[in-house]
Amino acid sequence: MTVTIWHNPNCGTSRKVLAALREAGLTPQVVDARKPGWRAEDLRRLFADAGLTARQALRTRGTPAEDMGLTAPEMSEQGLIEAMIVHPTLVERPFVATPWGTRLCRPAGTVQDLLALRPR
């Protein structure tokens, strides 16, 4: 069973979610969400699996999103995804993908909703 967390080790919420996964007995694959390497198709799939749009997954706090015009209502999903590829910090985190669902685990307690779906 593969569990993946897109993680920022400098983020308290992300650290709490990672700790909760480990406390639940899981050994997640940890991907540093700040590093380049995102691909458009990966972002689209991750957002779709989580039931989100790119706009809903856009991190505005502590990022250049507003200065880049990404918060404008006319900004397209494709434009947001292209910006996220260039600036990975624009992707909100942590995302957690499991065989029983994918969620943006913000606030950190959201991970408990995901863990509750795990078959026993």
Side-chain angles (χ1 to χ4, degrees), residues 34-112:
R34 305 166 302 171
K35 300 224 176 188
W38 292 102
R39 298 179 315 162
E41 57 271 19
D42 297 333
L43 286 171
R44 281 190 204 94
R45 183 175 40 253
L46 182 64
F47 300 158
D49 289 350
L52 299 173
T53 64
R55 183 167 304 282
Q56 291 169 316
L58 176 66
R59 180 169 178 83
T60 56
R61 192 170 138 232
T63 72
E66 194 167 337
D67 293 340
M68 294 172 69
L70 301 177
T71 58
E74 64 274 8
M75 178 56 66
S76 69
E77 288 283 302
Q78 182 60 33
L80 290 171
I81 288 173
E82 288 172 5
M84 290 170 169
I85 291 168
V86 176
H87 302 280
T89 60
L90 292 169
V91 180
E92 190 60 91
R93 80 281 172 172
F95 272 91
V96 176
T98 71
W100 54 89
T102 299
R103 298 281 190 287
L104 171 57
C105 292
R106 179 168 285 279
T110 307
V111 74
Q112 297 305 323

